[in-house]
Structures are given as C-alpha cells and as structure tokens.
C-alpha cells in the first residue's frame, strides 16, 4: 500500500457518489465475468476439436479477451486502492497480445475468406446428397442389371440343357431309325431273294419295297417336327405312281393324324404290296375296277385303347378272286401284310375276298403311331419277325 499511497483512489474522482461507484464497479464486474467466460469457452472448443485449423489464432483471441477482462477487474480495485502501475502493466500486456492477434488475423485474412459460408456448406451438402442419391440409383440399376443378367444366364443355361437333351433324344432316335432300317432292309432282301427264282423278279420286288421304306422315311424327315408326318401324306406319297396313272379309279380319304417313322415305314410297305398286287392281279390289271383307301379312329372300348383302322377295298374280277383264294397266305407278300406289319405295330390285320371285292384291314393302337426310341431291343424287331417267325425255310 505504501508504494501506491502517493496516488489517489479512482473513487475520489467519482466523488464517492454511491450510485456512480456502483455503476462503475458493476459494469466492470460484468465485463470481467464475461471476458473470463469467453476464453474458457474457446479453450473448451479447442480441447474437444483437435482437428480445427488455426488453433494459434483462437488461443491469441482467448488470451486477448482474458487480459481485457483482467484490466476491468483491476479497474474495480482502483476505485478504492490506487494500483495504477499494476493496471498499467496489465494494459501493456493486453496491448501486446492485441497487436499480435491483429497481425496474425490480418495475415490469415486471405485464408479465412476462403472458408465456405453456411449457405455454401448447405448447398455443398445438398449437392453431395444428390450425388449420393445418383450413385445409389446407379448402384440399384447395376444390381438390377446383374440380377437380369443372372436370370438371363440361368434361362440360357436351361435352354442349352433342353437343347442338349433334345439333341440327345434326336441322336438316339437317328441311331434307332438307322439300325431299324438296316435290319429291315437286310431281312426284306433275304426274304425277297427266297421268294423269287430269277434275279430280275427279285431286283424289282426288292427295289419296290426298299423305295417304300425310303419314301416313308423321307416324308417323316420333311415334317414340321422331323419325327412324324401326316398319315394322309404318307398314303398319297406311297400311292403317287398309281394315283397319277389311274386317277379317279383310286379314292383316298381319312382324318388328319400323325404317324411316326416306324409306323409310316410299315404302313408304306403294306400299301406297296397291295398296290403291286393290284397292278399284277387285281383292279389295276384290267380296264375297270376301283380302289378305296380309308382310315379312321375308333374310340376306346372297354379294355381296348383308341385304335386306328386302315382299310383297303379293291374291286377285282372273279378270276382274280379265285387266284387270291388259291394263293392263300403262303407268299412273303401275304405274310408281310397279315403278320409282319401288324406284329411290328402291335396290332392285327385281315385280308379276305368276298363278292369280287378284296378287303384288307389293318387295326392298330394309336400309341403305335408314335415313335418311342427308348424301347429296349426294338431296333431289330422287324428283322427278327421276318427272319425267325415268318422266314421261308
């Protein structure tokens, strides 16, 4: 106190008027409290946000504000105690820190003005949200494209499997047909040779029967499914030579129905034998006489499944009728018509002459018209029937 006794307290300048002393001291106290709280808040921010840039500038501001608050606190003290030298030193420190803060602040102005404003930050945030939404939409499209691609790959794989399965079936069917044709042709050749003493008759008969098989196979392979053909087309193709030659004397009619390769071959063989016999001995060997070829479906009856009835009606002379009656069923052609063809097709047949009319009727289940390449041992069925059961000793 001795060092400051030479000075007069600041309260004397205020004439110690209570209201003025309270106003002066109260204002400085409020400023001191506020200036002391602000640096604490700034230091708390710095401690909790170590990522903030320009931390030195914030520290300078905190020191500057704290010193300013301290000068106001000393102003309260000088109302009663004249510590003006100490107050002066504090003001000097406040000035130095303020100058340093100002210098640093001006040097950072170019950097500080580049800090985005809240509106710019909000706009950037909105742009970022839109970009994220666009990326999410693109990602969703990519996922959908991936899903579609996987589905398409699965579909194409399934199609490939179906195509491979169909190819395997077609391959087995081709092998089945080839083996069956070779076996049937070999057997027909042997039996035709046994039935003819001269080479010319054998060749004509054999080639005619071979052409019947070839025509039937060709019709089936030209069909839409390549496994069956319309029965009417099979019949007309086999009878085409006599149809073109004898015209209206031959009538062909029947409802549409598909026939597989084996059924087409066997029916063609039967029609070939009937047409050949007709030209040699029957209706087509004379100037008069007609032939009717027809087929129809019979509905299931009891234990019998649906059946197909193929009928050949031919007007013949009395002499031809006697020839057929005398010939009986001893020849290979007769056995082919009444035994081989119906047996191969799992059906039955009859050929009879009554009142100058020759009738041939072939009855077989509709299932026999469909190819079944999975039947074991079926490839050489016709050959075994021809050679073992109906061969000529």
């Amino acid at each position: 106190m001795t060092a400051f006794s030479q000075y007069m307290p600041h309260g004397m300048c205020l004439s110690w008027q209570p209201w003025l002393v309270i106003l002066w001291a109260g204002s400085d106290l409020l400023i001191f409290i506020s200036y002391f709280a602000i640096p604490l808040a700034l230091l708390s921010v710095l401690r909790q946000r170590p990522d903030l840039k320009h931390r030195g500038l914030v520290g300078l501001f905190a020191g500057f504000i704290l010193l300013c608050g301290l000068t106001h606190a000393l102003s309260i003290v000088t109302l009663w105690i004249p510590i003006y030298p100490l107050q002066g030193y504090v003001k000097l420190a406040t000035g130095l820190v303020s100058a340093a803060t100002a210098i640093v602040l001006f040097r950072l102005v170019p950097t500080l003005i580049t800090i985005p404003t809240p509106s710019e930050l909000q706009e950037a945030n909105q742009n970022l949200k839109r970009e994220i939404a666009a990326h999410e939409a693109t990602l969703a499209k990519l996922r959908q494209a991936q899903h579609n691609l996987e589905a398409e790959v699965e579909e194409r794989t399934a199609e490939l499997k179906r195509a491979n399965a169909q190819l395997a079936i077609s391959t087995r069917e081709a092998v089945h047909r080839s083996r069956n044709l070779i076996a049937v042709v070999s057997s027909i050749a042997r039996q035709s040779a046994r039935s003819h003493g001269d080479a010319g008759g054998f060749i004509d008969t054999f080639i005619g029967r071979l052409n019947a098989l070839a025509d039937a196979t060709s019709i089936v392979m030209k069909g839409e499914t390549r496994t069956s053909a319309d029965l009417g087309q099979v019949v007309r193709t086999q009878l085409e030579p006599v149809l073109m030659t004898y015209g209206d004397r031959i009538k062909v009619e029947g409802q549409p129905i598909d026939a597989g390769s084996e059924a087409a071959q066997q029916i063609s063989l039967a029609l070939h034998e009937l047409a050949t016999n007709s030209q040699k001995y029957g209706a087509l060997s004379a100037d008069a006489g007609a032939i009717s070829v027809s087929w129809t479906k019979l509905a299931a009856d009891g234990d019998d499944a649906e059946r197909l009835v193929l009928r050949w009606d031919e007007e013949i002379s009395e002499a031809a009728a006697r020839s057929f009656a005398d010939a009986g069923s001893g020849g290979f052609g007769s056995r082919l018509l009444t035994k081989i063809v119906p047996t191969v097709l799992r059906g039955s047949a009859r050929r009879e002459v009554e009142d100058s009319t020759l009738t041939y009727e072939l009855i077989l289940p509709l299932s026999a018209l469909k190819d079944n390449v999975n039947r074991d041992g079926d490839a050489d069925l016709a050959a075994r029937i021809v050679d073992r059961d109906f061969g000529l000793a």
Side-chain angles (χ1 to χ4, degrees):
M1 291 294 294
T2 304
F4 305 112
S5 59
Q6 56 181 327
Y7 304 113
M8 180 179 58
H10 192 248
M12 296 182 65
C13 297
L14 302 178
S15 300
W16 297 109
Q17 296 185 28
W19 69 272
L20 191 57
V21 172
I22 293 173
L23 177 62
W24 196 274
S27 299
D28 282 333
L29 180 62
L30 185 61
I31 293 173
F32 167 73
I33 294 173
S34 299
Y35 276 17
F36 184 78
I38 291 174
L40 292 178
L42 291 176
L43 293 175
S44 176
V45 171
L46 287 178
R47 185 175 64 254
Q48 298 180 40
R49 288 293 305 274
D51 59 314
L52 288 178
K53 294 182 179 181
H54 315 298
R55 299 173 62 84
L57 179 63
V58 177
L60 287 173
F61 266 107
F64 160 65
I65 295 174
L66 182 61
L67 289 172
C68 287
L70 186 57
T71 59
H72 284 277
L74 292 177
S75 294
I76 297 174
V77 175
T78 57
L79 287 174
W80 291 276
I81 302 174
I83 53 173
Y84 298 117
L86 179 59
Q87 185 180 19
Y89 290 127
V90 173
K91 285 187 175 182
L92 176 61
T94 302
L96 294 175
V97 173
S98 300
T101 302
I103 293 172
V104 173
L105 180 61
F106 272 101
R107 292 183 62 182
L108 290 177
V109 166
T111 302
L112 294 176
I113 62 176
T114 60
I115 297 176
T117 63
S119 60
E120 290 175 341
L121 290 174
Q122 186 176 5
E123 183 179 359
N125 190 36
Q126 294 297 327
N127 293 334
L128 183 59
K129 289 182 179 179
R130 285 192 291 269
E131 186 174 355
I132 292 174
H135 284 305
E136 290 178 348
T138 303
L139 183 59
K141 290 180 180 179
L142 289 175
R143 288 174 178 170
Q144 183 63 35
Q146 180 183 8
H147 175 73
N148 294 339
L149 181 59
E150 291 176 352
E152 186 174 356
V153 169
E154 290 180 0
E155 182 180 357
R156 294 293 182 267
T157 302
E159 289 179 358
L160 182 58
K161 289 181 179 179
R162 290 194 294 269
N164 288 336
Q166 186 62 40
L167 180 60
I169 293 174
S170 300
T171 301
R172 291 196 300 270
E173 185 177 354
V175 173
H176 168 82
R177 290 180 180 177
S178 299
R179 292 176 59 194
N180 198 29
L181 278 174
I182 292 172
V184 171
V185 169
S186 299
S187 297
I188 289 177
R190 288 191 295 270
Q191 297 305 325
S192 298
R194 293 178 183 179
S195 301
H196 292 275
D198 62 295
F202 159 70
I203 291 175
D204 291 340
T205 302
F206 175 66
I207 290 178
R209 291 168 178 166
L210 191 60
N211 286 336
L213 289 174
D215 290 342
T217 304
S218 176
I219 294 171
V220 171
M221 294 306 294
K222 291 179 180 178
E224 293 182 0
T225 64
R226 295 189 178 272
T227 59
S228 63
D230 181 64
L231 181 59
Q233 186 180 6
V234 173
V235 173
R236 289 181 177 85
T237 300
Q238 187 57 48
L239 298 179
E240 185 176 5
V242 294
L243 285 172
M244 295 177 63
T245 303
Y246 300 98
D248 296 338
R249 294 173 60 184
I250 303 175
K251 182 180 180 182
V252 178
E253 60 181 354
Q255 59 193 115
I257 184 172
D258 287 339
S261 60
E262 188 171 55
Q265 292 167 7
Q266 299 303 319
I267 292 173
S268 294
L269 278 174
L271 293 174
H272 170 73
E273 292 297 327
L274 291 168
T276 300
N277 291 337
S278 179
Q279 293 177 84
K280 289 182 178 180
Y281 317 111
L284 301 182
S285 64
D287 294 335
I291 297 174
S292 174
V293 183
S294 61
W295 60 91
T296 186
K297 292 181 184 178
L298 292 181
D301 183 15
D303 295 334
D304 294 331
E306 286 186 294
R307 293 161 294 165
L308 174 74
V309 178
L310 177 68
R311 187 181 179 93
W312 175 289
D313 292 308
E314 178 181 351
E315 298 176 4
I316 59 175
S317 63
E318 294 182 3
R322 288 193 297 272
S323 298
F324 278 114
D326 294 338
S329 58
F332 178 69
S334 297
R335 294 188 179 192
L336 183 69
L337 290 170
T338 59
K339 298 292 184 180
I340 298 175
V341 171
T343 301
V344 172
L345 297 180
R346 306 189 300 281
S348 61
R350 68 179 182 88
R351 188 177 68 160
E352 60 184 19
V353 178
E354 185 178 353
D355 298 332
S356 299
T357 300
L358 182 144
T359 300
Y360 175 76
E361 192 173 68
L362 177 63
I363 303 174
L364 57 138
L366 285 182
S367 60
L369 294 177
K370 299 179 181 180
D371 276 340
N372 186 354
V373 300
N374 294 319
R375 287 181 295 177
D376 295 335
D378 194 43
D380 60 346
L381 175 61
R384 287 190 286 104
I385 292 172
V386 172
D387 286 337
R388 186 188 64 191
D389 299 330
F390 307 108
L392 296 178

